[in-house]
Amino acid sequence: MKEVLLSHGSGERSMTQEIKQFAEAAGIDLFGIANLDHMNERARPGRRPKDLYPYAKSVMIFGCGMADPFCRGWTRNGKERGTFSLTLLELERRCRLFRRFFRERGYHTFGGEIYGDAVAGIGLRLAEAAADCGMGYVGKSSLLITPKYGPRQNLLALATDAVLEPDAGNPASQCGACTLCQAKCLSGAILGGGYFHARQCESVINAYPNKRYYNQNVNQDCDMCLRVCPKGELHWRKED
Ligand code: SF4
Ligand code: SF4
């Protein structure tokens, strides 16, 4: 029995190393393995990973930095009415790479859809799960703040039935006395004290007259909380 446990542990470690090396080689610079127990404890019943993906043994959180405001913005898809974001397209590509990685090794993946209910369906903010596995901290804007991109990244979760070792993290907020995002928020959604009114924000960013810029082919959301945050080595200042 002991031998079985030891060999299971070493398999877990080697698969964890392998997926991390794979992510690094693929240039996926925002990556962490979430603590599934923490996610199940914190999310609401019915929307926990164990409710949504009962066969999952691990959840990966990964992201894509927004290179500039255009990559963050929305572009109309030719003659069709849909719009897409270059950052989300790249995030989707990264998700496909992970799916293939696990499929080639005989494992399954669950979730990982960018559009539709999948992201909203997870009863836990991805920023919190990402901070919990050491990718950054949750700022006053309720966004994940990373050393490289500040708040300027999109995140995605992908569950798998492969057993991976979770990363530890959850560093304290480094916002200090800064309140720029709260002061500049157009909708008043950043309430302070860790409270964020998502619907209030959406009512602003989804309203075309409030977009920072829009025409029939391209539009950019309010995004003041992304623009004004001083954190992150890569900032949009120069692009603006
Ligand atoms: S996108 Fe604009 S309205 Fe929404 S939270 Fe950020 S600053 Fe506020
Ligand atoms: S703008 Fe300031 S308060 Fe808001 S998340 Fe960034 S560092 Fe924190």
Side-chain angles (χ1 to χ4, degrees):
M1 184 62 180
K2 196 174 178 186
E3 272 180 26
V4 171
L5 287 173
L6 283 173
S7 86
H8 175 74
S10 66
E12 193 176 308
R13 266 194 300 282
S14 69
M15 180 58 76
T16 305
Q17 282 168 355
E18 213 184 321
I19 187 66
K20 288 190 172 180
Q21 283 165 0
F22 175 82
E24 193 177 346
I28 302 172
D29 52 359
L30 294 170
F31 178 79
I33 299 166
N35 187 312
L36 198 54
D37 291 336
H38 290 180
M39 290 182 93
N40 281 322
E41 280 162 22
R42 293 174 188 175
R44 270 177 274 163
R47 295 174 65 194
R48 298 168 295 198
K50 68 179 178 186
D51 303 317
L52 298 169
Y53 316 119
Y55 297 105
K57 297 199 171 68
S58 313
V59 176
M60 295 170 298
I61 312 281
F62 53 98
C64 179
M66 303 162 183
D68 54 41
F70 181 76
C71 289
R72 153 68 177 164
W74 301 95
T75 306
R76 198 165 291 284
N77 181 13
K79 290 180 183 170
E80 296 170 26
R81 297 189 64 201
T83 53
F84 65 89
S85 134
L86 291 176
T87 307
L88 289 182
L89 274 184
E90 169 59 17
L91 196 55
E92 207 162 27
R93 187 189 73 84
R94 294 178 180 194
C95 189
R96 278 200 301 275
L97 292 178
F98 285 131
R99 286 189 201 284
R100 190 175 66 190
F101 173 95
F102 285 105
R103 194 171 60 237
E104 286 174 352
R105 287 157 182 78
Y107 295 104
H108 301 85
T109 52
F110 316 98
E113 294 86 6
I114 289 187
Y115 301 101
D117 286 341
V119 172
I122 297 173
L124 185 69
R125 297 197 60 251
L126 286 185
E128 286 173 32
D132 194 42
C133 57
M135 294 166 67
Y137 68 92
V138 179
K140 289 179 187 169
S141 56
S142 288
L143 297 167
L144 179 74
I145 311 293
T146 62
K148 189 167 181 181
Y149 299 103
R152 294 165 291 276
Q153 59 253 314
N154 282 130
L155 297 170
L156 195 57
L158 182 67
T160 174
D161 53 4
V163 179
L164 304 171
E165 287 183 90
D167 293 311
N170 212 9
S173 167
Q174 291 164 32
C175 287
C178 177
T179 54
L180 272 174
C181 54
Q182 192 178 357
K184 301 287 183 183
C185 176
L186 292 188
S187 69
I190 301 172
L191 302 168
Y195 292 98
F196 177 71
H197 200 311
R199 293 281 172 268
Q200 204 160 315
C201 162
E202 283 167 19
S203 69
V204 166
I205 65 172
N206 289 332
Y208 270 72
N210 292 336
K211 296 254 182 194
R212 180 176 173 88
Y213 174 81
Y214 71 97
N215 65 25
Q216 58 176 348
N217 297 315
V218 179
N219 69 76
Q220 289 181 1
D221 293 339
C222 154
D223 289 344
M224 286 305 284
C225 48
L226 304 183
R227 290 169 190 280
V228 299
C229 181
K231 302 292 184 184
E233 293 157 27
L234 303 180
H235 204 285
W236 292 347
R237 267 178 225 108
K238 287 179 183 158
E239 281 78 12
D240 274 349

